[in-house]
Amino acid sequence: MDHSYPYIASLTREPFLFYEMRSTAKLMSEGLSDEAIVTEIVEQNLFQYPTEKSITRMAKACMKRLHALEDETLVSAIASQPTEIAKQICLYAMMKQSRLVWEFMLTVIGEKYRLRDASFGKIDLNTFFMRLQEQNDTVASWSDSTITKLKQIMCMNSRLVIVQLLPIWNSV
C-alpha cells in the first residue's frame, strides 16, 4: 500500500458488500465491460436496492475494489470459490483499496496474529483510531459518527479474520 494514498471514509457507505462483490465479480469474469456490468446490475436490480442511483453507486464501488485486486484470478475466485475463501479475497480487495483498512489489518490484526492473541475488542479499535487521529489531520477532522461507523465496519472485518485464523493459531 502506498502511504501517499489519503485516508478515506467511504467505507461508511460502502462496507464489506460481499454479495454485491460476488455478483459483480461473476459479471466481470464473463468478460463484460465496466459499463455493461453496471447496466446489467441496474436493469436486473441484482443488488435489490431501492433506487437506481444507489445500485449504480454500489456497482461502481464494487468494480473499483475488484480492479484494485489487479488480478483476474482473484476476481474469478470471488465469483466461484466457496464463501469463506471469497470473503477473504473481498477483505483483501478492501485492503488494496483503502489505506485505513490496510493499516488496521497490518498493525492491529497482524500484531494479534503474531502474538497468537485471539482477543479483540473495543480497546483495539479505540487505540487504533485515537493514534490515527493524533497523526493525521484528515482523520482528526472526521465526525464522531463517521469514526463510530468505521469502527463498526472494521470490527466486522476483523472478526471475520480472527474466526478464520483461530484454527491456525490453535494448531501452532
Side-chain angles (χ1 to χ4, degrees):
M1 169 66 56
D2 183 349
H3 291 286
S4 66
Y5 281 19
Y7 290 103
I8 55 172
S10 62
L11 292 175
T12 58
R13 65 184 177 278
E14 300 164 4
F16 196 58
L17 303 173
F18 175 69
Y19 295 103
E20 294 87 340
M21 289 282 289
R22 184 163 247 190
S23 297
T24 306
K26 287 177 182 174
L27 295 171
M28 284 181 92
S29 295
E30 292 173 7
L32 297 175
S33 70
D34 288 357
E35 192 174 290
I37 291 169
V38 172
T39 301
E40 179 75 12
I41 291 170
V42 170
E43 287 179 358
Q44 299 298 318
N45 193 11
L46 294 179
F47 298 168
Q48 298 295 301
Y49 289 175
T51 66
E52 186 175 313
K53 183 178 177 180
S54 62
I55 298 168
T56 302
R57 184 172 37 90
M58 287 304 172
K60 289 179 179 180
C62 289
M63 287 189 305
K64 186 175 179 180
R65 267 191 210 162
L66 291 168
H67 286 304
L69 288 171
E70 300 176 332
D71 187 328
E72 290 178 22
T73 306
L74 291 176
V75 173
S76 178
I78 290 171
S80 62
Q81 290 297 310
T83 300
E84 294 309 312
I85 293 169
K87 283 182 177 180
Q88 290 174 28
I89 300 167
C90 285
L91 179 59
Y92 178 61
M94 282 181 80
M95 290 173 65
K96 292 277 289 182
Q97 183 199 15
S98 170
R99 180 179 176 189
L100 184 70
V101 176
W102 180 268
E103 289 183 8
F104 181 79
M105 296 308 289
L106 289 181
T107 62
V108 178
I109 303 304
E111 183 68 4
K112 296 269 185 199
Y113 180 74
R114 188 181 73 74
L115 298 172
R116 287 189 270 173
D117 177 0
S119 69
F120 179 76
K122 287 183 180 182
I123 187 106
D124 298 305
L125 288 161
N126 292 339
T127 302
F128 173 77
F129 276 98
M130 188 169 31
R131 180 189 54 81
L132 205 54
Q133 286 175 307
E134 291 170 355
Q135 295 175 354
N136 186 278
D137 292 337
T138 300
V139 178
S141 72
W142 291 344
S143 70
D144 289 342
S145 62
T146 296
I147 296 289
T148 299
K149 180 68 175 171
L150 288 168
K151 286 178 184 178
Q152 291 170 350
I153 292 163
M154 301 296 254
C155 184
M156 289 184 295
N157 295 342
S158 301
R159 294 203 190 287
L160 167 76
V161 172
I162 289 171
V163 165
Q164 292 187 352
L165 290 178
L166 278 175
I168 296 168
W169 286 334
N170 292 334
S171 70
V172 176

